Amino acid sequence: LAQSTFSIYDIQRSNVYAAQGGRALNVAGTLASKGAEWAVAVRPDPAWQVWANLAYTRARYEDYVFTGGSFSGNTPPNVARLLANLGGSYRFSAIWPAEIGASVRRVGDRFHNDANTVRLLGYTLLDAQATLQPWPSTKLSLHLRNLTDRDYAAWADPFYPDQILIGAPRSVELTLQVAF
């Protein structure tokens, strides 16, 4: 069993506000975004599931002229040209059903500001999870995030040009889900 989606887009937004340092806003004229996204999920048998998705975006300011210069042609902040995910899981049929899986996520380079003077480097994260279902209404899950303990810039706020949100370090999460 398999499913897939594919989309192509060409979006133009006019009179877009762009954040500037010091809590100021500029009217950035037009923001044009073109790209494509593809996703696929495959279940070769009831136990295995594999999924992947890929997105390519080309976003640019058009007509972004202000007193002192122009950012026309620049990429808006926090927009990666490439995003990709790949993952898989295996479900065991035992006394207590269990599932294990892993995924990898790639986020390409992005810019911190409209001037495109600060580049946030792309990053790749590896995650894993295991779930045990002792009763039909109960799940116990263990999630291991950022297994390689990669340092990365997750997001940048153009309002505060000297601040960047650092991504979460390696972490472990244990959850118990009970339906009633």
Side-chain angles (χ1 to χ4, degrees):
L1 184 62
Q3 67 179 24
S4 181
T5 59
F6 181 76
S7 64
I8 297 175
Y9 56 90
D10 185 352
I11 303 168
Q12 279 199 318
R13 294 176 42 213
S14 298
N15 299 318
V16 175
Y17 285 104
Q20 299 298 304
R23 295 187 179 217
L25 290 173
N26 278 341
V27 176
T30 302
L31 175 60
S33 300
K34 297 178 181 183
E37 297 181 19
W38 174 66
V40 64
V42 178
R43 188 178 287 277
D45 67 51
W48 282 99
Q49 181 173 338
V50 179
W51 61 90
N53 70 314
L54 180 66
Y56 172 84
T57 302
R58 185 176 188 276
R60 295 282 183 258
Y61 287 122
E62 297 177 357
D63 305 320
Y64 188 172
V65 179
F66 57 93
T67 303
S70 171
F71 291 147
S72 296
N74 287 5
T75 302
N78 296 303
V79 177
R81 188 169 285 221
L82 185 67
L83 294 170
N85 294 284
L86 174 66
S89 67
Y90 182 81
R91 185 167 177 83
F92 298 92
S93 294
I95 296 171
W96 288 352
E99 185 173 353
I100 59 170
S103 63
V104 62
R105 174 177 176 83
R106 174 68 187 164
V107 176
D109 291 357
R110 294 125 8 216
F111 289 105
H112 174 280
N113 55 25
D114 291 333
N116 291 175
T117 55
V118 178
R119 181 181 302 269
L120 305 176
L121 297 179
Y123 58 90
T124 303
L125 299 178
L126 176 63
D127 298 334
Q129 82 277 346
T131 300
L132 179 66
Q133 190 170 0
W135 300 281
S137 62
T138 305
K139 286 184 182 178
L140 181 63
S141 299
L142 177 68
H143 294 272
L144 307 170
R145 304 192 197 282
N146 192 3
L147 286 172
T148 60
D149 202 21
R150 169 78 190 237
D151 292 330
Y152 63 100
W155 190 74
D157 189 342
F159 271 128
Y160 301 98
D162 59 344
Q163 296 181 13
I164 295 173
L165 177 65
I166 302 301
R170 180 184 304 127
S171 61
V172 177
E173 177 182 308
L174 182 64
T175 60
L176 176 65
Q177 178 182 352
V178 179
F180 53 93

